[in-house]
Amino acid sequence: MAKIFRKIISIINEEVPFENETKQIFVILRLYSILISIYFLLFAFLSAFMGGTKVYILFLPWLALNILCFLATYRFHRRTVFHICSVATLSWILCFNVTMGWNCGVQHFMFPLLLISFFATYDNLKGKIIYTVLVFFLRISLYLYTRSHTPIIPLSDSMSVALQFLNTGVLFLIMFITCWFFSQTNQETQAKLFQYNEQLKRDASTDALTGLLNRRNMYDLLKTYTAFGSTRYFTIAMGDIDFFKHVNDTKGHDCGDAVLKTLSEFFRNYMEGKGTVCRWGGEEFFFLFPDINGDKASAYIGDLNVMIASLPITYKEETFHITMTFGVEEYDFSSSAEELIKRADDKLYLGKKQGRNTVIY
């Protein structure tokens, strides 16, 4: 039994052989056709069980047509399949209403059909409006017709009640499946969009190679610290890898990237609880120490510089070491972000002139 059920599910979920066509609407139309076919079978059972032999024969042509609608989902495009299903559904609604009267209740099947039409023709607003208006007038016309004409085959009270239960059950099931399918898609789309937006934010704020904050994000952060009226003290530091060009020239740019990644991970761990680090550009790194004065920040950078010199960097089974030079600048509560950066940068290059592998404060 489970094997048969899985086979049915695989048939319903079969992919469509058309470009730019989503499988989802075909799955819904297949399920719709299956449920309507089950409806016809149950209708035939009720009519036979309750002695309505004349009503019994009504289901046969529509059951056959509904099976053709199911098969059409594997051969035709989305719109064509929907139009076939729409014509089939509206024709048997018309036939049943004329034959058995308004109390048969099949006119309510226009509602799930209208719902499906909005997703089957999602790129055609004009078509949706026209289809809605046509269905509206068809329903009103059927109501007026059944009020002024006697049914060809009047329903007994018991048959009318039974059909109301049957119609309501199948209608609710079709509406539930349709709404569930599209709500799931909507939620999945929103989740993917949220993830995509988060990824865009991360890409916009981080350096692609190292995963650290990028220069623009750090600069924006620094401007909030130096905004007019700010009384928050902090210290910045600019660091540059010594002889990094030599590493790239002798060991290759891939090795240079490996150095940057290794240092970035080391900086990220070291700055945890102390402040923020970003890749400023090339082989330069920028450090921000909130609520830390220059003396303490300079001591942190000094310890960091010693650890960098002893940090082993491995690339293609070769281990080597690098050094860095730093310039440290404390906020004076009056300078702009640009002025602070320039003074830290000037100290950095002073350290370069003095022999590198040092901290200038």
Side-chain angles (χ1 to χ4, degrees), residues 189-200 202:
T189 302
Q190 289 184 358
K192 289 179 181 178
L193 184 60
F194 176 78
Q195 293 173 359
Y196 180 68
N197 287 336
E198 290 298 308
Q199 184 63 47
L200 287 179
R202 286 193 294 271

Side-chain angles (χ1 to χ4, degrees), residues 24-39:
Q24 184 188 57
I25 188 62
F26 289 91
V27 171
I28 289 175
L29 289 170
R30 288 165 191 168
L31 288 171
Y32 175 80
S33 298
I34 291 172
L35 289 172
I36 295 298
S37 297
I38 293 172
Y39 170 82

Side-chain angles (χ1 to χ4, degrees), residues 241-244 246-248 250-251 255 258-260 262-263 266 304-315 317-324 357:
I241 302 173
D242 297 330
F243 303 109
F244 187 69
H246 179 72
V247 173
N248 279 329
T250 58
K251 303 179 186 297
C255 180
V259 171
L260 294 172
T262 301
L263 284 176
F266 181 71
L304 177 64
N305 199 39
V306 172
M307 288 186 280
I308 291 169
S310 59
L311 177 69
I313 297 176
T314 302
Y315 179 74
E317 300 181 354
E318 178 187 359
T319 300
F320 58 96
H321 295 81
I322 55 94
T323 60
M324 289 186 66
N357 189 23

Side-chain angles (χ1 to χ4, degrees), residues 349-361:
Y349 280 95
L350 177 61
K352 292 282 187 180
K353 288 181 181 180
Q354 291 182 0
R356 297 179 170 81
N357 189 23
T358 186
V359 177
I360 303 296
Y361 171 48

Side-chain angles (χ1 to χ4, degrees), residues 108 266 280 326 350:
H108 301 311
F266 181 71
W280 194 248
F326 293 89
L350 177 61

